[in-house]
Amino acid sequence: MNAAGGDRLRRGWLGLGTELLFVTMDRLDDAALDQPTGLPGWTRRHVLAHLASNAEALRRLAGWARTGQPNPMYASPEQRAADIAQGATLSPQRLRDRVRTSAHRLAADLAELPDPAWQARVITAQGRTVPASEIPWMRTREVAVHAVDLAGGTEFADLPADLLAALIADVTARRSSLGDGPKLHLRTTDDEQVWRVDGHGEPVTVSAPLDVLARWLTGRADQPPPGAPAPALPAWL
């Protein structure tokens, strides 16, 4: 698939992931938003506040790409954390509205981005310089994984197989670049895709279904893949 085709596919994933987020959010009553998630220190409120802040931050990158004027996602890690903490205090209705409005506004910004702007270079919150064409994937990753984190009936198995494969490729590349975890040979048992993670020690082979592998690699599994001698993993992002 050429670059343009890949970009169109990623933007299609973005719409699907955003809708899945909305459906999951709507399954939760107001009281459920106060319940903890598997993310340390975060309730469902914090997850939703983060997703709203993330959409607003990615809108800044889209504006940077469109105008050429640098506009970072966040002023600082401290400002990012403060935005999430403040957002988590909103009333349930205001929080839900903010999630929806920010997502729709980001989608509109991306839809209106002129063709040359997609190749503009912007800087992510992790300090990576990437083309603006990465923004749809950055958002897709957030909405898809955090829809699962909300624990509202959405699982990794509900995501399309090609999106899961792209997520695994993204995570393995990130883990390899960090080099702070174990060396891994990964294989899916349902379609026999393979990935490798650079790291320390002798390589450990881990085989599991696509969705189980994605859950484990992103740090969302309480237990390693069934039957695999899977080591503990450091943080991914």
Side-chain angles (χ1 to χ4, degrees):
M1 179 177 291
N2 60 30
D7 183 56
R8 284 194 296 271
L9 181 57
R10 288 182 177 196
R11 281 188 262 177
W13 286 340
L14 174 54
L16 184 151
T18 300
E19 189 57 34
L20 191 61
L21 166 64
F22 292 163
V23 168
T24 308
M25 180 175 68
D26 290 344
R27 290 191 189 119
L28 303 170
D29 62 27
D30 291 351
L33 300 186
D34 295 321
Q35 296 302 308
T37 68
L39 302 176
W42 275 16
T43 65
R44 288 173 169 134
R45 285 177 165 275
H46 290 88
V47 173
L48 293 176
H50 161 64
L51 285 165
S53 292
N54 174 260
E56 293 159 359
L58 291 175
R59 291 189 70 205
R60 289 191 278 275
L61 291 193
W64 180 346
R66 185 181 64 255
T67 66
Q69 296 297 316
N71 196 1
M73 291 181 67
Y74 305 100
S76 66
E78 293 77 17
Q79 180 253 324
R80 173 184 177 274
D83 282 353
I84 294 170
Q86 189 280 327
T89 68
L90 295 175
S91 70
Q93 188 58 53
R94 288 187 63 195
L95 182 56
R96 294 174 196 273
D97 289 346
R98 187 180 170 209
V99 171
R100 289 184 181 278
T101 299
S102 60
H104 289 320
R105 288 175 175 170
L106 173 61
D109 286 353
L110 295 178
E112 295 170 1
L113 206 60
D115 288 346
W118 287 107
Q119 298 308 313
R121 311 297 283 186
V122 296
I123 300 176
T124 72
Q126 291 79 35
R128 296 187 303 118
T129 299
V130 300
S133 58
E134 286 296 302
I135 296 174
W137 171 248
M138 292 165 63
R139 180 61 176 176
T140 298
R141 184 177 61 197
E142 294 288 334
V143 294
V145 174
H146 287 313
V148 176
D149 289 332
L150 287 173
T154 297
E155 301 292 345
F156 280 95
D158 297 314
L159 301 175
D162 53 357
L163 194 161
L164 286 173
L167 178 62
I168 291 173
D170 183 284
V171 177
T172 54
R174 174 71 174 169
R175 290 192 178 282
S176 290
S177 68
L178 293 173
D180 58 353
K183 186 177 295 185
L184 301 170
H185 289 176
L186 307 171
R187 180 184 297 275
T188 57
T189 55
D190 34 14
D191 56 6
E192 297 187 347
Q193 296 188 72
V194 296
W195 295 268
R196 282 174 167 70
V197 176
D198 293 332
H200 54 74
E202 291 297 314
V204 177
T205 298
V206 178
S207 299
L210 188 65
D211 63 301
V212 175
L213 201 58
R215 172 180 283 277
W216 176 66
L217 284 169
T218 56
R220 268 68 184 176
D222 294 330
Q223 300 293 329
L233 297 176
W236 157 46
L237 286 176

